[in-house]
């Protein structure tokens, strides 16, 4: 059986084979049983016959008669089962007394022993059935007389007749039967298939369909019970499981999808929250800024109110003090001592009140950040000994002694002398106020141990001293050790607070060491070189310079630094002399406009720096010098360092400083208006340009002088000795300016100018005519139309020439930036020049 | 005796200062606002001007500017009387062309010293 055959074919084959086999065995069995039956019948028949024959033969032999030869033939010929009948003599078993053998039977009669080997002859059917045919039956009957004497032995051979056997099975019937049975088995197998293979095949189809379509809802039909049913059940339940799993999978997938969506949603929400947060932060920041601004404004308003109030209070005080003094003078003239005493009390009270007002004003200024330092260098010993006489009356009041330790060669310090004096007076006054008949010791020393050298002034007294709690409140505004102290000793406690603020403003501080009953020591520490500061800021170095390319914001924007920027030196170097706070604004503004800015705070500094920087222009704020402004200005002008360097003056009002106009290139009203200042500066410091200036001049010394002047300003220069050479040069490059002589051999300046104005490519190039000619009005008008400026040789100053050069180059660059291709530029610039 | 123009709007201060100056022998001419101060300076040609800064019509700074811009009176020394102790006001005054300043309330001794210095003939 091939395994490749379909199941139903295998089943059919199996059933057919099995049924055929069964049929064969049945037929064979049946035949064998029938043969056994025939055999038994033959044996019985032969037995009966043998018994009869034996009686007869015995009777015959007893009588001694000889058996007739035909006797056996006649006796057995009709009985077809009997093949032979032989009687052997009793003594000799091999000697026959007589016998008969059926003709054609094939049986041979020999001795008695061989007789048993007798075989029946058979035809082809008998031969085929020989193996089934029963043995030939031999029946042996001893022939005995009544008295037991053996007369002989009768042997009878019997066998089923050929006819009996051949009739037993009909071959055609058997064949028919086999055929029928096979057909039947086929039919049966077909029927059986329906029950067994049918469902399995269907199941297979269903499985195939499920596999192909992944349709787990399909179910195999249950057509019967049994194993197939179980199988289908199992398959269905498997499908159910799969379907369930599939459904679960789908659900899980959906869940995952939903989770993903929720995640994305959450993410979006988070982003939204982030954005909101950012917005909120921005909002809060703005609010905070607003609040800060409001607070600052409020504080400013408060300070401004205090300042105003102080002023308003001061005016009547002015009158009170003034009249009191007058009355004291009058009373002195009259020698009215009683009046003098009373008036002095008025004066004293008024001065005290004025002191309070001043302190309040100072405090408000410190709070408003408006307290400025006026730094000056002074000799410390002289300073201290100037203060002492002022303090002496305070010391004397409580019968104290003042001891001063200060080296006469102490040297100079640079600080705000007025404020330091105020500090010292305040501390000496305090020390004396809380000491009776004691010693107030002022020591002045240097301390070089820290990063900055300090002047240390210690004021030690032998007074009442203070406990820790009192020390804690000491420097607070309106705080004295306690109320009784204030009642006894007077004063407001403002002095110490102010003193400390002043010291801190100068980059120093005031500390105190004290024990009740043992006196106090106040220690003032001030840098020997106080840095100019804005109140509340840390001290920066005295002079700042900005050598690195500074940021330049886009044109028109506020001068705030921006990272992307062209090189800062595209315009030139400017040295700014101004106070620290102003410097920053100026520096930002100028740097933004492309200048390389160096800043110093004083003219002496400027002279030093100027040598290094070699500025193209100096910007000097007259107010930077304070009272020394005029002197500084003179120094600046006298210095060879800045000879020929344009000087722009920043002054409160240009009219009031006409005196400075001599030797000043321009005066800009301060506070400087940005665009005005930049415009002024740009007249003196032209933008750096790569386009050379073409000097057309036939006179060698004049040409060289002009070239030197222009080169000194940092511009590239080319020269031409006559008109033709100038035109040849113009053909090779575009100058940012042509300085043109009029009288030249060959092609003169007039011709060059005319040709330049007629050639579109050269039309926009600015021209400054430098001539020694006395021009008639017509010529002058013509030149004014064609050239930017006409300068008369011998009558223009160097500054004038350079100013024209700068203006023209600036104009050239400005125009160039707005309309890059020269040839595409519009009509010639023929507008009249001033 | 030197003639001093006192430009001061506050009556008490004006009266007090005028009287104390007169007592010391100065001739005092009074102006009560900036504009009349400028006018009086031009007509009276005083030897010295004491100029308050907070004045009606035109303030002391502006008046000083105008005076210093006028060649006829530009040489007359001006002492600014600044009620403000603020240094800016001092500098503003100097920038406006004032030759000196005195902070109010006026310390008469100090003021007299400054007056004397400014009135000293340039030859000395």
């Amino acid at each position: 059986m091939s395994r490749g055959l379909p199941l139903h074919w295998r089943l059919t084959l199996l059933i057919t084979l099995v049924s055929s086999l069964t049929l064969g065995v049945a037929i064979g069995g049946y035949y064998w049983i029938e043969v056994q039956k025939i055999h038994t019948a033959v044996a019985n028949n032969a037995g009966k016959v043998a018994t009869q024959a034996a009686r007869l033969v015995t009777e015959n032999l007893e009588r001694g008669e000889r058996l007739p030869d035909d006797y056996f033939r006649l006796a057995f010929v009709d009985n077809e089962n009997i093949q032979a009948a032989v009687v052997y003599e009793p003594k000799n078993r091999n000697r026959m007394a007589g016998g008969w053998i059926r003709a054609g039977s094939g049986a041979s009669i020999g001795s008695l022993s061989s007789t048993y080997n007798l075989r029946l002859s058979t035809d082809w059917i008998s031969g085929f059935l020989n193996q089934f045919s029963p043995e030939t039956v031999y029946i042996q009957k001893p022939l005995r007389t009544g008295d037991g004497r053996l007369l002989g032995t009768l042997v009878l051979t019997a066998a089923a007749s050929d006819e009996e056997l051949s009739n037993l099975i009909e071959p055609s019937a058997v064949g028919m039967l086999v055929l029928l049975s096979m057909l039947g088995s086929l039919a049966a197998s077909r029927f059986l298939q329906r029950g067994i293979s049918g469902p399995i095949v269907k199941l297979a189809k269903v499985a195939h369909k499920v596999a192909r379509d992944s349709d787990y809802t399909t179910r195999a039909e249950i057509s019967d019970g049994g194993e197939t049913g179980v199988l289908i059940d199992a398959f269905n339940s498997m499908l159910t499981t799969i379907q369930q799993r599939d459904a679960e999978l789908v659900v899980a997938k959906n869940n995952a999808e939903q989770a993903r969506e929720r995640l994305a949603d959450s993410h979006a929400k988070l982003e939204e929250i982030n954005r909101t947060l950012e917005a909120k932060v921005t909002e809060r920041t703005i609010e905070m800024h607003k609040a800060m601004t409001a607070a600052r404004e409020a504080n400013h308003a408060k300070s401004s109110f205090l300042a105003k109030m102080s002023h308003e209070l001061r005016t009547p005080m002015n009158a009170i003090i003034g009249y009191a003094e007058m009355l004291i003078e009058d009373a002195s003239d009259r020698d009215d001592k009683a009046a003098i005493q009373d008036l002095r009390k008025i004066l004293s009270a008024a001065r005290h009140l004025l002191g309070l007002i001043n302190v309040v004003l100072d405090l408000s200024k410190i709070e408003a950040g408006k307290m400025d330092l006026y730094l000056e260098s002074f000799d410390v010993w002289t300073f201290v000994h100037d203060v002492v006489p002022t303090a002496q009356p305070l010391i004397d009041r409580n019968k104290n002694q003042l001891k001063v330790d200060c080296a006469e060669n102490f040297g100079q310090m640079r600080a705000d002398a007025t404020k330091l004096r105020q500090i010292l007076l305040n501390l000496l006054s305090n020390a004396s106020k809380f000491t009776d008949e004691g010693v107030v010791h002022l020591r002045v020393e240097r301390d070089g141990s820290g990063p900055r050298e300090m002047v240390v002034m210690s004021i030690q007294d032998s007074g009442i001293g203070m406990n820790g709690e009192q020390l804690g409140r000491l420097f607070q505004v309106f705080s004295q050790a306690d109320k009784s102290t204030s009642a006894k000793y007077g004063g407001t406690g403002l002095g110490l607070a102010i003193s400390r603020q002043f010291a801190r403003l100068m980059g120093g501080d005031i500390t105190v060491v004290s024990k009740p009953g043992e006196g106090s020591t106040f220690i003032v520490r001030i840098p020997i070189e106080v840095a100019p500061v804005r109140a509340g800021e840390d001290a920066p170095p005295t002079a700042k310079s900005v050598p690195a390319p500074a940021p330049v914001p886009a044109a028109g924007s506020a001068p705030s630094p921006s990272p992307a920027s062209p090189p800062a030196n595209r315009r030139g170097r400017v040295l700014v002399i101004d106070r620290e706070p102003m410097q920053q604004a100026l520096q930002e503004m100028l740097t933004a406009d492309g200048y390389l800015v160096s800043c110093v705070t004083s003219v002496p500094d400027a002279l030093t720096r100027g040598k290094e920087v070699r500025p193209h222009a100096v910007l000097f704020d007259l107010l930077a010098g304070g009272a020394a402004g005029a002197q500084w200005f003179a120094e600046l002008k006298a210095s060879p360092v800045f000879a020929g360097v344009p000087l722009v003056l920043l002054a409160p009002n240009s009219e009031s400083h006409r005196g400075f106009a001599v030797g000043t290139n321009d005066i800009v009203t301060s506070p400087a208006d940005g665009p005005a200042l930049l415009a002024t500066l740009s007249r003196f410091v032209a933008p750096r340009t790569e386009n050379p200036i073409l000097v057309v001049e036939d006179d060698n010394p004049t040409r060289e002088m002009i070239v030197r002047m222009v080169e000194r300003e940092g511009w590239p220069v080319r020269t031409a000795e006559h008109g033709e050479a100038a035109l040849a040069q113009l053909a090779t490059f575009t100058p940012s300016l042509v300085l043109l002589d009029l009288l030249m051999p060959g092609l003169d300046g007039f011709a060059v100018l005319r040709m330049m104005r007629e050639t579109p490519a050269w039309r926009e190039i600015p021209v400054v005519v430098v001539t020694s000619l006395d021009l008639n009005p017509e010529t002058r008008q013509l030149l004014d139309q064609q050239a930017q400026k006409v300068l008369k040789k011998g009558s223009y100053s160097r500054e004038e020439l350079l100013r024209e050069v700068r203006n023209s180059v600036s104009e050239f660059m400005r125009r160039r930036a707005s309309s890059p291709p020269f040839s595409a530029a519009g009509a010639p610039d023929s507008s009249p020049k001033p | 005796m030197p003639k001093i123009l006192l430009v001061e709007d506050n009556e008490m201060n004006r009266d007090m200062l005028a009287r104390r100056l007169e007592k010391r022998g100065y001739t005092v001419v009074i102006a009560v606002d900036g504009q009349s101060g400028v006018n009086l300076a031009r007509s009276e040609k005083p030897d010295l001007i004491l100029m308050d800064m907070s004045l009606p019509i035109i303030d002391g700074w502006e008046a000083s500017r105008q005076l210093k811009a006028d060649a006829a009176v530009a040489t007359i020394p001006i002492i600014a009387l600044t009620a403000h102790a603020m240094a800016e006001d001092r500098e503003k005054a100097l920038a406006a062309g004032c030759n000196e300043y005195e902070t109010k309330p006026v310390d008469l001794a100090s003021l007299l010293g400054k007056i004397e210095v400014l009135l000293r003939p340039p030859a000395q």
Side-chain angles (χ1 to χ4, degrees), chain A residues 94-417:
Chain A
N94 294 328
R95 189 157 163 202
M96 286 195 294
W100 173 77
I101 296 170
R102 186 181 293 271
S105 68
S108 63
I109 303 290
S111 62
L112 189 59
S113 56
S114 65
T115 306
Y116 288 100
N117 298 323
L118 191 82
R119 283 285 184 276
L120 287 169
S121 62
T122 53
D123 58 15
W124 67 273
I125 287 278
S126 314
F128 170 70
L129 296 171
N130 198 29
Q131 47 195 326
F132 305 107
S133 61
E135 291 284 330
T136 305
V137 181
Y138 296 96
I139 296 166
Q140 201 175 320
K141 287 273 185 196
L143 303 176
R144 288 180 193 276
T145 59
D147 52 6
R149 191 175 48 99
L150 187 64
L151 296 173
T153 306
L154 175 65
V155 176
L156 209 67
T157 307
S161 70
D162 290 346
E163 209 178 335
E164 271 178 311
L165 288 171
S166 60
N167 283 344
L168 203 54
I169 291 168
E170 183 60 44
S172 61
V174 170
M176 202 59 171
L177 194 65
V178 169
L179 191 67
L180 277 172
S181 79
M182 282 175 83
L183 283 171
S185 69
L186 264 176
S189 76
R190 291 307 294 178
F191 173 75
L192 280 171
Q193 268 174 43
R194 208 169 291 167
I196 298 168
S197 71
I200 292 174
V201 169
K202 270 192 207 159
L203 183 64
K205 279 185 187 161
V206 170
H208 180 67
K209 186 167 174 277
V210 167
R212 191 190 57 203
D213 299 343
S214 302
D215 178 7
Y216 304 114
T217 56
T218 317
R219 290 289 178 277
E221 270 176 58
I222 299 173
S223 48
D224 65 65
E227 284 92 341
T228 316
V230 172
L231 178 66
I232 291 169
D233 264 348
F235 181 74
N236 280 348
S237 91
M238 186 183 78
L239 275 181
T240 306
T241 308
I242 289 175
Q243 190 185 6
Q244 209 174 326
R245 292 280 163 83
D246 194 50
E248 279 171 14
L249 198 66
V250 167
V251 169
K253 210 174 135 192
N254 284 345
N255 284 347
E257 189 66 24
Q258 279 173 8
R260 206 179 60 77
E261 276 171 19
R262 273 202 302 275
L263 198 66
D265 200 36
S266 308
H267 190 68
K269 272 183 190 156
L270 200 64
E271 277 189 354
E272 177 61 28
I273 287 169
N274 256 344
R275 259 198 304 281
T276 319
L277 195 65
E278 269 173 36
K280 268 187 187 157
V281 168
T282 313
E283 201 178 301
R284 292 282 151 82
T285 310
I286 291 169
E287 279 173 13
M288 199 181 73
H289 273 290
K290 275 187 192 161
M292 273 173 66
T293 310
R296 216 176 288 143
E297 276 170 7
N299 196 40
H300 186 81
K302 185 195 82 176
S303 298
S304 137
F305 168 78
L306 280 172
K308 209 172 260 174
M309 271 309 291
S310 300
H311 168 58
E312 296 300 322
L313 291 170
R314 231 197 271 243
T315 307
M317 285 313 299
N318 199 11
I320 293 168
I321 290 171
Y323 280 109
E325 282 177 354
M326 269 174 62
L327 287 173
I328 289 171
E329 282 167 24
D330 292 345
S332 310
D333 293 346
R334 289 197 311 274
D335 204 23
D336 183 351
K337 283 196 179 101
I340 290 173
Q341 261 187 353
D342 291 347
L343 287 167
R344 278 200 199 283
K345 281 173 193 159
I346 293 174
L347 191 62
S348 166
R351 281 193 175 137
H352 180 68
L353 190 54
L354 187 64
L356 285 179
I357 292 166
N358 283 337
V359 163
V360 169
L361 182 62
D362 279 348
L363 274 178
S364 72
K365 276 207 284 192
I366 289 168
E367 278 186 17
K370 278 186 171 177
M371 184 59 86
D372 289 323
L373 289 178
Y374 296 93
L375 299 181
E376 50 190 309
S377 296
F378 52 86
D379 184 80
V380 174
W381 188 87
T382 316
F383 170 79
V384 169
H385 287 85
D386 277 349
V387 174
V388 168
T390 319
Q392 200 61 55
L394 304 169
I395 301 289
D396 294 342
R397 201 183 305 163
N398 281 351
K399 300 193 180 83
N400 288 314
Q401 268 191 322
L402 178 63
K403 210 174 129 194
V404 179
D405 276 345
C406 178
E408 199 169 345
N409 60 351
F410 188 94
Q412 298 238 313
M413 77 179 288
R414 184 171 170 79
D416 189 320

Side-chain angles (χ1 to χ4, degrees), chain A residues 609-628:
Chain A
R609 261 201 96 63
K611 285 183 200 148
E612 303 159 23
V613 175
R614 301 218 301 113
H616 294 106
V618 175
L619 189 59
F620 175 39
D621 188 348
L622 205 56
L623 296 186

